[in-house]
Amino acid sequence: MSSPPTSPPAAKRLKLESDSGAPATTASPVKVNGHQLSEPTSAIATPAASSAPSFPGDNVASTSAQRAENDGDDDEDEPEEVKADEQEVVAHRDMYLDTVSRQNLDFDFERLCSKSLSNINVYACLVCGKYFQGRGRGSWAYRHAVGENHRVWLNLATEKFYVLPEGYPVSDPSLNDIIHVLNPRYKPSDLAKLSKLSEPSYTLSSQPYRPGYIGINNIKRNDYANVILQLLLHVPPIRTFLLNPNQPELQDERKPTELVKRLATLARRLWNPRLFKAQISPHEFMQEVSKRSNGKFKSTEQGDPVEFLGWLVNTLHRDLGGSKKRNSSIIYSTFQGKVQIETQQIITHKEYARPVFEPGRDIQTVSSPFLFLALDLPATPLFTDMNEKKIIPQVPLSTILAKFDGNTTQEFGPTLKRHHLTMLPQYLILHIKRFTKNNFVEERNPTVVNFPLRGVDVREYVDPKPTDPMHTVYDLLSNVTLDTAASTTKTNTSQSLKKKRDTDEAPLTWKIHVRAGQLQAANGVGNQEGSEGEKWLEMQDLRVEEVTKEIVFLGETVIQVWERRDLSTAT
């Protein structure tokens, strides 16, 4: 009689003993698992050889024991079958992995099936880069794999690789670089090093780039948002918060909002040292921005970077659980300061050319928190030179900062106000107001602001004075400028200005200068310009160029971020 597919334990032992040349002992046939086997007496003890009496239940127990033993023996045989399957999988794996085309992969777009537009169970084809749903028989991914013979796929949620249409998983170290592009990961110990100018990384085409200082794609007219993203993601506390894998607010159990998650994803890709291409796209992030802002900020229409910055930081503050309390979110702990505003009713005096504060009269004092300070430019002079060309006026930064010295007054309707800083933030955001508008006109002021790159002391604008003098000195971190071919102060109606922004004729575009690296000054002073280890980069959409420090002053500055000196020396 033929042996069963899986040999029973008794049969195995009999075969081993017969192969070893041991003398066979005549024995009566014994049934094991329904098969008659001629087995030696020494192999299986019969009930007659046992000194214990037999009971009717012993046969049942013996059968159960044998069945359990057989089951366990079957389990021992399984690894041999699995090993054979793994060898088969390895053969298939090696055959298909060479079809993966990394230059076609782009994970910056929203994870939606290109056919069903569903975001559930989406797979990426690693041959053509398209997204499809499912991998079962009849799914969109299955049809694409059969129709186009594209075999290697990646589940975007689980980060597991599969071969379709067969459907078996693939595990190979050569695919790890794709995971690092899909979802870059960072160690908390490496985050502090990002403030230093790192060694160049290289793309698939061997193009060098520096992580963090790469271009952001302009989908259509989202350059106003690109400069704000570069600005925020280069502020060290914000950058560390978004890249830290152990950040509590970003864990799944805290249920972060979609805006926060997509901004964190964008930050991880911006600073990724293993990119296939030296650029990223904010498409997925801007989709959520348009949704959350009810269409106010889009990637297809030009916008105001100042308004976008205000909306974004306040929305992030609320999404991160922030309240009106100080340091209730990373936004407030990084950018929030306080200003004291004194208000008095205007009474005209003949002996004064302009209204002034009278100490004897009632003065209303309010302490107000701020995330950025608005600075007013002086009125544009209408003088022209001998060639009848308009002279571009200039003003030092200290002149427009005098608004917060506590003495300079400003008229707001029937009231007179003066401002004084009472608390300085870690990172000071300045907004230089270039556009003035009312119900009829909107005008741009082209006045150039002169400022140093380092060492702006705001001690005279703050009261009470900080005990550490370094807490009042700031160094420039980033500078957003207006870039336009029309350098005039011509008055435009609101509709015509919007039309100019949305057309290709003399468009208003934006660019940003970012300080890369840290200053390595001689003798440890830390405030000398031009030292090695620090560079200035100009970024405008996909264009990233290293520039000299003199270029930073030439544009029409709109937004600046200043880093407090004690923070720059600590990091």
Side-chain angles (χ1 to χ4, degrees):
M1 176 179 282
S2 60
S3 61
T6 301
S7 301
K12 283 187 177 182
R13 289 193 290 270
L14 178 61
K15 187 177 186 300
L16 289 174
E17 292 183 2
S18 62
D19 291 342
S20 62
T25 305
T26 305
S28 59
V30 179
K31 285 189 176 183
V32 178
N33 285 354
H35 297 275
Q36 288 187 355
L37 297 175
S38 178
E39 192 170 317
T41 308
S42 59
I44 299 179
T46 60
S50 176
S51 60
S54 61
F55 298 94
D58 287 348
N59 293 333
V60 178
S62 175
T63 304
S64 301
Q66 289 181 358
R67 185 180 296 113
E69 184 180 3
N70 292 342
D71 292 342
D73 199 53
D74 289 343
D75 293 340
E76 292 177 0
D77 289 341
E78 284 182 1
E80 298 180 358
E81 299 177 358
V82 172
K83 185 175 181 180
D85 292 341
E86 288 179 353
Q87 293 176 352
E88 183 180 359
V89 169
V90 169
H92 286 294
R93 176 188 65 195
D94 295 339
M95 180 173 61
Y96 295 131
L97 291 190
D98 59 349
T99 64
V100 175
S101 181
R102 287 168 172 79
Q103 61 268 21
N104 293 334
L105 303 183
D106 190 349
F107 301 118
D108 289 335
F109 294 94
E110 199 167 4
R111 301 178 182 183
L112 298 177
C113 174
S114 57
K115 293 293 185 178
S116 65
L117 301 182
S118 172
N119 60 353
I120 301 175
N121 200 22
V122 178
Y123 288 76
C125 175
L126 300 187
V127 180
C128 64
K130 295 181 180 179
Y131 293 172
F132 294 95
Q133 186 180 18
R135 62 183 174 92
R137 183 178 298 272
S139 65
W140 289 111
Y142 184 94
R143 297 176 187 178
H144 182 80
V146 173
E148 302 294 335
N149 197 28
H150 293 177
R151 313 300 291 271
V152 189
W153 294 75
L154 170 63
N155 188 308
L156 297 179
T158 63
E159 301 180 3
K160 293 182 178 180
F161 297 91
Y162 296 90
V163 169
L164 298 183
E166 290 86 348
Y168 58 81
V170 175
S171 177
D172 193 280
S174 65
L175 299 174
N176 291 341
D177 60 334
I178 298 178
I179 297 298
H180 286 295
V181 175
L182 172 67
N183 188 13
R185 292 171 172 84
Y186 300 84
K187 297 180 180 178
S189 58
D190 296 335
L191 300 182
K193 302 177 183 178
L194 298 179
S195 295
K196 301 178 181 179
L197 201 58
S198 61
E199 294 295 327
S201 299
Y202 294 89
T203 63
L204 289 177
S205 59
S206 299
Q207 175 188 358
Y209 75 95
R210 294 189 185 273
Y213 304 95
I214 60 176
I216 299 181
N217 186 33
N218 188 350
I219 301 172
K220 188 174 181 181
R221 296 196 180 278
N222 57 282
D223 53 298
Y224 74 96
N226 290 350
V227 294
I228 298 303
L229 290 174
Q230 295 279 16
L231 180 149
L232 276 182
L233 299 183
H234 282 89
V235 176
I238 304 295
R239 177 190 65 204
T240 301
F241 179 89
L242 295 174
L243 298 183
N244 188 358
N246 301 326
Q247 192 63 44
E249 291 86 347
L250 301 181
Q251 304 305 315
D252 292 338
E253 56 268 19
R254 297 287 292 270
K255 297 182 180 180
T257 64
E258 194 66 26
L259 184 69
V260 173
K261 290 193 293 186
R262 295 192 181 189
L263 182 61
T265 300
L266 198 65
R268 291 195 297 268
R269 291 173 179 169
L270 183 74
W271 291 94
N272 187 7
R274 303 183 183 182
L275 288 174
F276 293 159
K277 304 174 184 177
Q279 64 186 56
I280 60 173
S281 176
H283 180 271
E284 191 175 11
F285 175 74
M286 291 303 298
Q287 290 277 12
E288 184 65 18
V289 166
S290 178
K291 177 181 176 181
R292 291 290 301 275
S293 65
N294 296 323
K296 182 177 182 180
F297 301 105
K298 302 178 180 178
S299 59
T300 56
E301 295 180 6
Q302 186 64 267
D304 187 346
V306 179
E307 293 182 0
F308 180 65
L309 174 62
W311 175 86
L312 182 59
V313 294
N314 282 285
T315 304
L316 290 175
H317 171 71
R318 292 191 298 268
D319 286 1
L320 294 173
S323 61
K324 295 182 179 180
K325 296 182 180 180
R326 180 184 174 187
N327 298 332
S328 58
S329 75
I330 186 62
I331 300 297
Y332 272 21
S333 61
T334 303
F335 299 121
Q336 189 184 56
K338 281 188 177 181
V339 59
Q340 179 178 289
I341 305 174
E342 296 179 341
T343 305
Q344 189 179 74
Q345 294 295 322
I346 294 179
I347 297 181
T348 306
H349 292 274
K350 296 180 180 179
E351 60 269 23
Y352 299 112
R354 296 185 58 187
V356 295
F357 269 82
E358 294 185 3
R361 293 172 51 284
D362 183 31
I363 299 177
Q364 296 180 355
T365 303
V366 177
S367 180
S368 175
F370 69 87
L371 294 179
F372 51 84
L373 296 178
L375 304 180
D376 303 308
L377 291 173
T380 307
L382 302 179
F383 301 107
T384 58
D385 59 11
M386 61 183 63
N387 297 323
E388 295 185 355
K389 294 183 179 180
K390 289 189 176 182
I391 300 175
I392 299 178
Q394 301 183 26
V395 61
L397 180 63
S398 57
T399 299
I400 56 179
L401 272 176
K403 170 183 178 180
F404 298 96
D405 60 6
N407 297 319
T408 302
T409 59
Q410 290 182 313
E411 297 183 33
F412 293 89
T415 61
L416 200 62
K417 293 185 178 181
R418 59 187 181 188
H419 307 77
H420 201 66
L421 302 179
T422 58
M423 188 185 73
L424 297 175
Q426 296 182 2
Y427 290 81
L428 178 63
I429 302 179
L430 300 181
H431 163 218
I432 299 175
K433 299 170 64 175
R434 292 202 170 271
F435 292 95
T436 57
K437 58 184 177 180
N438 53 37
N439 294 332
F440 304 100
V441 295
E442 183 174 29
E443 186 178 26
R444 178 174 59 86
N445 191 329
T447 301
V448 174
V449 178
N450 297 323
F451 51 88
L453 295 182
R454 287 186 172 272
V456 172
D457 196 345
V458 295
R459 172 172 289 269
E460 59 180 301
Y461 311 122
V462 61
D463 189 33
K465 311 294 183 186
T467 55
D468 190 343
M470 295 187 69
H471 287 177
T472 63
V473 180
Y474 286 83
D475 301 322
L476 186 64
L477 182 63
S478 58
N479 183 59
V480 176
T481 59
L482 176 65
D483 186 23
T484 178
S487 58
T488 66
T489 57
K490 179 180 179 181
T491 301
N492 302 276
T493 63
S494 299
Q495 293 182 351
S496 63
L497 183 60
K498 185 178 185 301
K499 183 179 180 180
K500 177 185 286 188
R501 288 178 177 176
D502 295 337
T503 60
D504 294 332
E505 180 182 358
L508 298 178
T509 57
W510 307 90
K511 61 184 179 182
I512 183 172
H513 296 95
V514 177
R515 188 184 77 208
Q518 288 181 318
L519 194 64
Q520 299 175 357
N523 302 324
V525 176
N527 60 356
Q528 298 180 7
E529 297 181 13
S531 299
E532 295 181 359
E534 178 179 289
K535 300 180 183 296
W536 281 95
L537 298 176
E538 181 179 279
M539 294 183 283
Q540 186 174 27
D541 298 333
L542 296 180
R543 183 176 63 86
V544 179
E545 296 179 358
E546 182 180 345
V547 297
T548 61
K549 62 180 182 180
E550 290 78 13
I551 300 296
V552 182
F553 309 103
L554 299 182
E556 298 181 15
T557 300
V558 178
I559 305 174
Q560 290 181 331
V561 177
W562 294 82
E563 184 179 44
R564 210 168 63 194
R565 175 67 59 83
D566 62 308
L567 301 171
S568 59
T569 56
T571 59

